Short mmCIF file of all heavy atoms in Angstrom, two decimals:
data_model
loop_
_atom_site.label_atom_id
_atom_site.label_comp_id
_atom_site.label_asym_id
_atom_site.label_seq_id
_atom_site.Cartn_x
_atom_site.Cartn_y
_atom_site.Cartn_z
N ASN A 1 101.79 86.99 85.83
CA ASN A 1 102.66 88.02 85.23
C ASN A 1 102.72 89.33 86.00
O ASN A 1 103.14 90.30 85.63
CB ASN A 1 102.11 88.49 83.84
CG ASN A 1 100.62 88.89 83.92
OD1 ASN A 1 100.01 88.82 84.92
ND2 ASN A 1 100.08 89.45 82.78
N VAL A 2 102.05 89.23 87.37
CA VAL A 2 102.15 90.41 88.18
C VAL A 2 103.36 90.36 89.11
O VAL A 2 103.59 89.33 89.76
CB VAL A 2 100.87 90.44 89.10
CG1 VAL A 2 100.92 91.58 90.00
CG2 VAL A 2 99.60 90.48 88.22
N ASP A 3 104.14 91.39 89.02
CA ASP A 3 105.36 91.52 89.82
C ASP A 3 105.38 92.82 90.70
O ASP A 3 105.68 93.83 90.26
CB ASP A 3 106.61 91.45 88.91
CG ASP A 3 107.83 91.50 89.70
OD1 ASP A 3 107.89 91.15 90.84
OD2 ASP A 3 108.76 92.03 89.13
N PHE A 4 104.88 92.55 91.83
CA PHE A 4 104.68 93.64 92.74
C PHE A 4 106.01 94.27 93.20
O PHE A 4 106.95 93.57 93.46
CB PHE A 4 103.76 93.38 93.93
CG PHE A 4 102.41 93.09 93.56
CD1 PHE A 4 101.93 91.75 93.24
CD2 PHE A 4 101.48 94.17 93.38
CE1 PHE A 4 100.66 91.55 92.95
CE2 PHE A 4 100.15 93.95 93.05
CZ PHE A 4 99.76 92.53 92.83
N CYS A 5 105.86 95.54 93.44
CA CYS A 5 107.07 96.26 93.80
C CYS A 5 107.42 95.83 95.29
O CYS A 5 106.58 95.98 96.13
CB CYS A 5 106.78 97.81 93.83
SG CYS A 5 108.24 98.85 94.33
N PRO A 6 108.61 95.27 95.56
CA PRO A 6 108.82 94.57 96.86
C PRO A 6 108.84 95.54 97.99
O PRO A 6 109.28 96.62 97.87
CB PRO A 6 110.21 93.95 96.59
CG PRO A 6 110.81 94.74 95.53
CD PRO A 6 109.69 95.12 94.65
N GLY A 7 108.22 95.10 99.16
CA GLY A 7 108.21 95.87 100.39
C GLY A 7 107.14 97.16 100.35
O GLY A 7 106.97 97.65 101.27
N GLY A 8 106.47 97.31 99.32
CA GLY A 8 105.73 98.56 99.16
C GLY A 8 104.22 98.32 99.03
O GLY A 8 103.44 99.15 98.68
N THR A 9 103.73 97.03 99.10
CA THR A 9 102.37 96.66 98.89
C THR A 9 101.67 96.29 100.15
O THR A 9 102.27 95.72 101.02
CB THR A 9 102.24 95.62 97.79
OG1 THR A 9 102.90 94.39 98.37
CG2 THR A 9 103.08 95.99 96.50
N TRP A 10 100.35 96.63 100.06
CA TRP A 10 99.49 96.18 101.23
C TRP A 10 98.40 95.37 100.73
O TRP A 10 97.68 94.78 101.58
CB TRP A 10 99.13 97.33 102.16
CG TRP A 10 98.20 98.21 101.48
CD1 TRP A 10 98.69 99.49 100.84
CD2 TRP A 10 96.78 98.30 101.36
NE1 TRP A 10 97.67 100.15 100.35
CE2 TRP A 10 96.47 99.53 100.66
CE3 TRP A 10 95.88 97.54 101.78
CZ2 TRP A 10 95.21 99.84 100.33
CZ3 TRP A 10 94.48 97.84 101.55
CH2 TRP A 10 94.14 99.01 100.80
N ARG A 11 98.05 95.49 99.38
CA ARG A 11 97.05 94.66 98.79
C ARG A 11 97.25 94.62 97.27
O ARG A 11 97.97 95.35 96.75
CB ARG A 11 95.59 95.23 99.09
CG ARG A 11 95.25 96.41 98.22
CD ARG A 11 94.10 97.14 98.66
NE ARG A 11 92.82 97.12 98.07
CZ ARG A 11 92.50 96.98 96.78
NH1 ARG A 11 93.43 96.71 95.86
NH2 ARG A 11 91.31 97.12 96.30
N LYS A 12 96.81 93.56 96.67
CA LYS A 12 96.83 93.34 95.27
C LYS A 12 95.89 94.05 94.55
O LYS A 12 94.69 94.08 94.87
CB LYS A 12 96.85 91.86 94.91
CG LYS A 12 98.11 91.04 95.43
CD LYS A 12 97.94 89.57 95.03
CE LYS A 12 99.23 88.80 95.57
NZ LYS A 12 99.21 87.40 95.11
N ILE A 13 96.31 94.68 93.44
CA ILE A 13 95.34 95.43 92.61
C ILE A 13 95.61 95.02 91.16
O ILE A 13 96.76 94.98 90.68
CB ILE A 13 95.67 96.99 92.63
CG1 ILE A 13 95.39 97.39 94.02
CG2 ILE A 13 94.65 97.74 91.71
CD1 ILE A 13 95.69 98.93 94.32
N SER A 14 94.43 94.59 90.55
CA SER A 14 94.52 94.03 89.21
C SER A 14 94.50 95.10 88.15
O SER A 14 94.19 96.28 88.43
CB SER A 14 93.38 93.08 88.93
OG SER A 14 92.11 93.81 89.02
N TYR A 15 94.91 94.69 86.96
CA TYR A 15 94.93 95.75 85.87
C TYR A 15 93.45 96.26 85.55
O TYR A 15 93.18 97.47 85.37
CB TYR A 15 95.41 95.09 84.55
CG TYR A 15 95.48 96.07 83.39
CD1 TYR A 15 96.35 97.10 83.24
CD2 TYR A 15 94.48 95.89 82.41
CE1 TYR A 15 96.32 97.94 82.21
CE2 TYR A 15 94.49 96.68 81.29
CZ TYR A 15 95.43 97.68 81.13
OH TYR A 15 95.41 98.57 80.03
N GLN A 16 92.49 95.38 85.64
CA GLN A 16 91.11 95.74 85.40
C GLN A 16 90.59 96.68 86.41
O GLN A 16 89.81 97.62 86.02
CB GLN A 16 90.18 94.47 85.43
CG GLN A 16 90.40 93.45 84.27
CD GLN A 16 91.66 92.77 84.33
OE1 GLN A 16 92.31 92.63 85.36
NE2 GLN A 16 92.08 92.18 83.19
N GLU A 17 91.02 96.53 87.75
CA GLU A 17 90.68 97.59 88.68
C GLU A 17 91.30 98.91 88.41
O GLU A 17 90.64 99.89 88.67
CB GLU A 17 91.00 97.04 90.11
CG GLU A 17 90.54 97.90 91.20
CD GLU A 17 90.81 97.31 92.57
OE1 GLU A 17 91.26 96.14 92.71
OE2 GLU A 17 90.53 98.05 93.55
N LEU A 18 92.48 98.96 87.92
CA LEU A 18 93.11 100.21 87.56
C LEU A 18 92.42 100.89 86.44
O LEU A 18 92.30 102.05 86.42
CB LEU A 18 94.61 99.99 87.20
CG LEU A 18 95.53 99.58 88.27
CD1 LEU A 18 97.00 99.23 87.83
CD2 LEU A 18 95.57 100.52 89.47
N VAL A 19 91.97 100.18 85.41
CA VAL A 19 91.24 100.64 84.36
C VAL A 19 89.93 101.23 84.76
O VAL A 19 89.59 102.35 84.46
CB VAL A 19 90.97 99.60 83.33
CG1 VAL A 19 90.06 100.11 82.20
CG2 VAL A 19 92.38 99.13 82.66
N ARG A 20 89.19 100.53 85.73
CA ARG A 20 88.01 101.07 86.20
C ARG A 20 88.20 102.31 87.07
O ARG A 20 87.38 103.23 87.06
CB ARG A 20 87.29 100.00 87.10
CG ARG A 20 86.75 98.80 86.34
CD ARG A 20 85.74 97.96 87.18
NE ARG A 20 86.27 97.56 88.40
CZ ARG A 20 87.07 96.38 88.52
NH1 ARG A 20 87.12 95.51 87.34
NH2 ARG A 20 87.58 95.86 89.62
N ALA A 21 89.29 102.33 87.91
CA ALA A 21 89.62 103.38 88.80
C ALA A 21 89.82 104.69 88.07
O ALA A 21 89.52 105.83 88.59
CB ALA A 21 90.74 102.99 89.69
N THR A 22 90.47 104.64 86.85
CA THR A 22 90.97 105.80 86.18
C THR A 22 90.00 106.02 85.01
O THR A 22 90.28 107.00 84.11
CB THR A 22 92.31 105.59 85.70
OG1 THR A 22 92.49 104.45 84.84
CG2 THR A 22 93.31 105.50 86.85
N ASP A 23 88.89 105.32 84.93
CA ASP A 23 88.03 105.43 83.71
C ASP A 23 88.79 105.23 82.40
O ASP A 23 88.66 106.08 81.41
CB ASP A 23 87.37 106.85 83.66
CG ASP A 23 86.18 106.91 82.74
OD1 ASP A 23 85.59 105.88 82.36
OD2 ASP A 23 85.72 108.06 82.37
N GLY A 24 89.46 104.07 82.34
CA GLY A 24 90.24 103.76 81.16
C GLY A 24 91.49 104.73 80.93
O GLY A 24 91.72 104.95 79.79
N PHE A 25 92.06 105.20 81.99
CA PHE A 25 93.20 106.09 81.92
C PHE A 25 92.76 107.31 81.02
O PHE A 25 93.49 107.75 80.13
CB PHE A 25 94.39 105.46 81.28
CG PHE A 25 94.91 104.26 82.08
CD1 PHE A 25 94.62 103.01 81.66
CD2 PHE A 25 95.45 104.33 83.35
CE1 PHE A 25 95.00 101.80 82.42
CE2 PHE A 25 95.79 103.39 84.05
CZ PHE A 25 95.64 102.01 83.55
N SER A 26 91.60 107.93 81.45
CA SER A 26 91.01 109.05 80.65
C SER A 26 91.86 110.23 80.87
O SER A 26 92.47 110.50 81.90
CB SER A 26 89.61 109.35 81.09
OG SER A 26 89.15 110.47 80.69
N GLU A 27 91.92 111.11 79.88
CA GLU A 27 92.60 112.34 79.92
C GLU A 27 91.98 113.30 81.01
O GLU A 27 92.65 114.19 81.51
CB GLU A 27 92.60 113.16 78.60
CG GLU A 27 93.32 112.47 77.47
CD GLU A 27 94.91 112.59 77.70
OE1 GLU A 27 95.29 113.67 78.31
OE2 GLU A 27 95.66 111.67 77.39
N ASN A 28 90.72 113.09 81.22
CA ASN A 28 89.95 113.88 82.25
C ASN A 28 90.59 113.64 83.59
O ASN A 28 90.52 114.50 84.64
CB ASN A 28 88.52 113.64 82.29
CG ASN A 28 87.82 114.03 80.97
OD1 ASN A 28 88.27 115.00 80.36
ND2 ASN A 28 86.71 113.31 80.62
N ASN A 29 91.14 112.49 83.81
CA ASN A 29 91.76 112.21 85.15
C ASN A 29 93.18 112.26 85.14
O ASN A 29 93.94 111.99 86.19
CB ASN A 29 91.47 110.68 85.53
CG ASN A 29 89.87 110.42 85.81
OD1 ASN A 29 89.35 111.39 86.37
ND2 ASN A 29 89.45 109.26 85.34
N LEU A 30 93.87 112.92 84.10
CA LEU A 30 95.27 113.09 84.07
C LEU A 30 95.77 114.19 85.05
O LEU A 30 95.28 115.40 84.99
CB LEU A 30 95.81 113.46 82.64
CG LEU A 30 97.20 113.59 82.39
CD1 LEU A 30 97.92 112.24 82.60
CD2 LEU A 30 97.47 114.14 81.03
N LEU A 31 96.50 113.89 85.95
CA LEU A 31 97.16 114.76 86.94
C LEU A 31 98.39 115.40 86.49
O LEU A 31 98.78 116.67 86.82
CB LEU A 31 97.41 114.13 88.32
CG LEU A 31 96.17 113.57 88.98
CD1 LEU A 31 96.58 112.86 90.26
CD2 LEU A 31 95.18 114.62 89.31
N GLY A 32 99.24 114.74 85.72
CA GLY A 32 100.54 115.24 85.22
C GLY A 32 101.28 114.28 84.35
O GLY A 32 100.82 113.05 84.23
N LYS A 33 102.08 114.82 83.60
CA LYS A 33 102.84 113.97 82.65
C LYS A 33 104.32 114.32 82.72
O LYS A 33 104.72 115.43 82.75
CB LYS A 33 102.36 114.14 81.23
CG LYS A 33 103.09 113.18 80.28
CD LYS A 33 102.35 113.41 78.83
CE LYS A 33 100.96 112.90 78.80
NZ LYS A 33 100.44 112.97 77.44
N GLY A 34 105.18 113.23 82.82
CA GLY A 34 106.62 113.44 82.86
C GLY A 34 107.41 112.77 81.80
O GLY A 34 106.79 112.23 80.74
N SER A 35 108.70 112.77 81.87
CA SER A 35 109.51 112.11 80.82
C SER A 35 109.27 110.54 80.77
O SER A 35 109.31 110.01 79.64
CB SER A 35 111.10 112.37 81.21
OG SER A 35 111.28 113.72 81.25
N TYR A 36 109.05 110.02 81.96
CA TYR A 36 108.84 108.42 81.90
C TYR A 36 107.56 107.95 82.17
O TYR A 36 107.37 106.73 82.19
CB TYR A 36 109.87 107.91 82.92
CG TYR A 36 111.34 108.26 82.56
CD1 TYR A 36 112.12 108.70 83.65
CD2 TYR A 36 111.86 108.03 81.50
CE1 TYR A 36 113.41 108.97 83.38
CE2 TYR A 36 113.15 108.27 81.08
CZ TYR A 36 114.03 108.79 82.06
OH TYR A 36 115.29 109.14 81.77
N GLY A 37 106.64 108.85 82.43
CA GLY A 37 105.29 108.37 82.84
C GLY A 37 104.18 109.45 82.93
O GLY A 37 104.57 110.67 83.05
N SER A 38 102.93 108.99 83.08
CA SER A 38 101.80 109.83 83.38
C SER A 38 101.19 109.45 84.60
O SER A 38 101.13 108.30 85.01
CB SER A 38 100.84 109.77 82.14
OG SER A 38 101.53 110.10 80.92
N VAL A 39 100.56 110.40 85.35
CA VAL A 39 99.90 110.23 86.64
C VAL A 39 98.47 110.50 86.44
O VAL A 39 98.08 111.51 86.01
CB VAL A 39 100.60 111.03 87.73
CG1 VAL A 39 99.91 110.74 89.06
CG2 VAL A 39 101.99 110.81 87.77
N TYR A 40 97.58 109.52 86.76
CA TYR A 40 96.19 109.70 86.69
C TYR A 40 95.46 109.64 88.13
O TYR A 40 96.00 108.82 88.97
CB TYR A 40 95.55 108.63 85.88
CG TYR A 40 96.09 108.55 84.41
CD1 TYR A 40 97.22 107.92 84.14
CD2 TYR A 40 95.41 109.15 83.42
CE1 TYR A 40 97.75 107.83 82.79
CE2 TYR A 40 95.82 109.22 82.15
CZ TYR A 40 96.97 108.46 81.82
OH TYR A 40 97.39 108.44 80.50
N LYS A 41 94.46 110.36 88.27
CA LYS A 41 93.68 110.25 89.58
C LYS A 41 92.68 109.10 89.41
O LYS A 41 92.09 108.88 88.26
CB LYS A 41 92.80 111.51 89.82
CG LYS A 41 91.97 111.47 91.03
CD LYS A 41 91.21 112.75 91.26
CE LYS A 41 90.38 112.68 92.48
NZ LYS A 41 89.62 113.97 92.69
N GLY A 42 92.62 108.29 90.44
CA GLY A 42 91.67 107.17 90.29
C GLY A 42 90.97 106.84 91.65
O GLY A 42 91.38 107.42 92.72
N ARG A 43 89.88 106.21 91.62
CA ARG A 43 89.15 105.72 92.76
C ARG A 43 88.95 104.26 92.72
O ARG A 43 88.35 103.63 91.84
CB ARG A 43 87.82 106.35 92.87
CG ARG A 43 86.97 106.05 94.11
CD ARG A 43 85.62 106.79 94.03
NE ARG A 43 85.84 108.21 94.02
CZ ARG A 43 85.87 108.99 95.16
NH1 ARG A 43 85.94 108.43 96.37
NH2 ARG A 43 85.94 110.28 95.05
N LEU A 44 89.66 103.52 93.68
CA LEU A 44 89.52 102.06 93.79
C LEU A 44 88.20 101.56 94.06
O LEU A 44 87.26 102.27 94.47
CB LEU A 44 90.55 101.57 94.81
CG LEU A 44 92.04 101.89 94.59
CD1 LEU A 44 92.93 101.33 95.71
CD2 LEU A 44 92.46 101.38 93.36
N ASP A 45 87.98 100.28 94.05
CA ASP A 45 86.64 99.79 94.26
C ASP A 45 86.07 99.99 95.55
O ASP A 45 84.79 100.14 95.70
CB ASP A 45 86.63 98.16 93.98
CG ASP A 45 86.99 97.75 92.65
OD1 ASP A 45 86.86 98.68 91.69
OD2 ASP A 45 87.42 96.61 92.28
N GLU A 46 86.90 100.13 96.69
CA GLU A 46 86.44 100.38 98.05
C GLU A 46 86.25 101.86 98.19
O GLU A 46 85.85 102.33 99.28
CB GLU A 46 87.31 99.68 99.02
CG GLU A 46 88.70 100.46 99.10
CD GLU A 46 89.73 99.80 98.29
OE1 GLU A 46 89.35 99.11 97.25
OE2 GLU A 46 90.87 99.96 98.46
N GLY A 47 86.51 102.69 97.18
CA GLY A 47 86.21 104.11 97.32
C GLY A 47 87.40 104.99 97.64
O GLY A 47 87.32 106.16 97.79
N MET A 48 88.59 104.30 97.84
CA MET A 48 89.80 105.07 98.16
C MET A 48 90.38 105.80 96.99
O MET A 48 90.51 105.24 95.87
CB MET A 48 90.79 104.12 98.77
CG MET A 48 92.12 104.78 99.08
SD MET A 48 93.30 103.46 99.72
CE MET A 48 94.70 104.57 100.20
#
């Protein structure tokens, strides 16, 4: 069920890794919110 954005990916990232990276999409990591989405700060498994 993963449909990566064509042409813009260099590695696959799972939903579980996104949850870990953003601490469950915590409000503490919220960078901003717009009409169509919210942006969270995250840290991937390799530290990026």
